[in-house]
Amino acid sequence: MRHLIAILPLLLCAPLHADCILVGYKGVSHTFEIRGLGDAPEGTRFCAYPVYIGEGPMSIEDGEHFSFYKSVSPRIYAYQGDLPVFDGIDRNHGLAVSDVELHLVSAVPEWQATYAIHTIYQFQGIEEDRVLLELMYETHYGAECDVVGAGDALLSSAWPLLPIASVLAILGLALRRRLRVSA
Amino acid sequence: MSYTCALLITLVVEALLALTLVAREERPVVLLACLSVNALTHPVASFLLARGAGSMEAIEVAVLCAEALCYRVALGPGLRRALTLAFVCNGVTWGLSYLV
């Protein structure tokens, strides 16, 4: 049930592809980052496309924060040499491309404390015509649960309790040892 | 890999390693200390890493120092034992993090 409640805001956010923010929602900034691009074969560069309506691809650097227009869902392309020119509706454009599409959250319900989101993907490699990416973390700044690993909403919402309980356990062990010594 | 999975692997591997490093009569206490210490440092380190608060190497060194200190507090005299536990356990899981 808690999982269902946790994903409800995401389902509610899904239809938000208009330019306006619906009543009861607030705008948030959502940035993305792809780590490990430096591990790609020498000379390989990366770009995201589409990023803004009517504009060409955007070059992506290792660890660089980037964002894009909320109504598009860019994929990551690998290329050599100059930034490619994209035309038509061909999905691959003759380049290796990610299966993963990036989806930007531009607004969340007003009751949520989140004011910014940062999503980190890890570059896994290039396999034939595929750029392999894996979701690492999505950090919701301002939210009660700051660190949301993929599929870990339940643990993340309770994660501050874990270190606190651990400190108590360590102090308990120390106290037990002292009591034993004094006895 | 999900965070839960990473945490569980860390707890299991470090607990097993810690148990092999100490005498039989100390194992229950060391097991509890090891689980507590890792349940403290793992979420904090993951949080710092996710926030980009430092490089993985710098955070690992900080974790190693913090765990040695916690072992020292929990297990009592024997700085060498605390350092050995922290260094060996973290060294192995650090290596595993590159393999898994």
Side-chain angles (χ1 to χ4, degrees):
Chain A
M1 189 62 188
R2 288 182 68 176
H3 282 93
L4 287 174
I5 293 171
I7 64 170
L8 194 59
L10 297 176
L11 295 174
L12 292 172
C13 286
L16 287 179
H17 283 297
D19 259 330
C20 61
I21 293 173
L22 298 177
V23 174
Y25 286 79
K26 63 179 180 181
V28 294
S29 76
H30 188 178
T31 51
F32 292 80
E33 176 183 345
I34 300 173
R35 293 182 179 170
L37 293 179
D39 298 333
E42 197 174 350
T44 305
R45 303 177 71 183
F46 296 87
C47 65
Y49 183 81
V51 284
Y52 293 100
I53 293 172
E55 289 189 20
M58 177 170 65
S59 179
I60 304 291
E61 301 293 336
D62 189 6
E64 177 191 38
H65 294 200
F66 66 94
S67 192
F68 47 85
Y69 186 59
K70 61 187 175 184
S71 295
V72 297
S73 301
R75 293 174 190 270
I76 304 302
Y77 292 82
Y79 66 96
Q80 306 268 341
D82 294 329
L83 198 62
V85 177
F86 291 95
D87 55 345
I89 55 171
D90 177 19
R91 179 176 168 275
N92 281 22
H93 304 281
L95 301 170
V97 61
S98 64
D99 290 328
V100 173
E101 274 187 346
L102 307 183
H103 295 285
L104 185 136
V105 177
S106 61
V108 296
E110 279 180 346
W111 56 265
Q112 284 191 7
T114 301
Y115 63 85
I117 301 171
H118 185 59
T119 306
I120 303 172
Y121 283 88
Q122 176 69 40
F123 171 71
Q124 301 285 336
I126 298 175
E127 198 175 83
E128 294 181 1
D129 62 346
R130 295 168 63 215
V131 175
L132 305 177
L133 301 178
E134 184 184 34
L135 178 65
M136 279 182 74
Y137 290 104
E138 187 161 277
T139 307
H140 292 234
Y141 295 99
E144 282 182 14
C145 48
D146 274 313
V147 179
V148 181
D152 281 323
L154 185 63
L155 181 69
S156 303
S157 61
W159 86 264
L161 297 177
L162 201 56
I164 293 168
S166 305
V167 168
L168 292 176
I170 292 165
L171 292 176
L173 283 171
L175 186 64
R176 173 181 170 275
R177 180 174 49 78
R178 289 202 172 216
L179 287 174
R180 276 194 163 191
V181 169
S182 60
Chain B
M1 180 187 294
S2 70
Y3 175 72
T4 314
C5 189
L7 176 62
L8 287 176
I9 289 175
T10 303
L11 290 176
V12 169
V13 170
E14 294 211 15
L16 290 174
L17 278 169
L19 290 177
T20 63
L21 291 171
V22 297
R24 185 181 291 268
E25 60 272 16
E26 283 186 311
R27 283 179 181 170
V29 176
V30 169
L31 177 64
L32 185 56
C34 179
L35 294 176
S36 302
V37 164
N38 280 285
L40 169 64
T41 57
H42 197 279
V44 174
S46 301
F47 175 76
L48 293 175
L49 208 57
R51 283 284 177 98
S55 67
M56 187 171 176
E57 290 77 11
I59 290 173
E60 279 290 344
V61 170
V63 163
L64 199 151
C65 296
E67 289 196 5
L69 181 67
C70 289
Y71 278 126
R72 173 70 179 77
V73 169
L75 301 176
L79 185 60
R80 180 179 286 185
R81 179 176 58 173
L83 282 171
T84 305
L85 279 169
F87 191 80
V88 173
C89 294
N90 277 287
V92 170
T93 47
W94 193 8
L96 270 180
S97 70
Y98 285 100
L99 297 175
V100 179

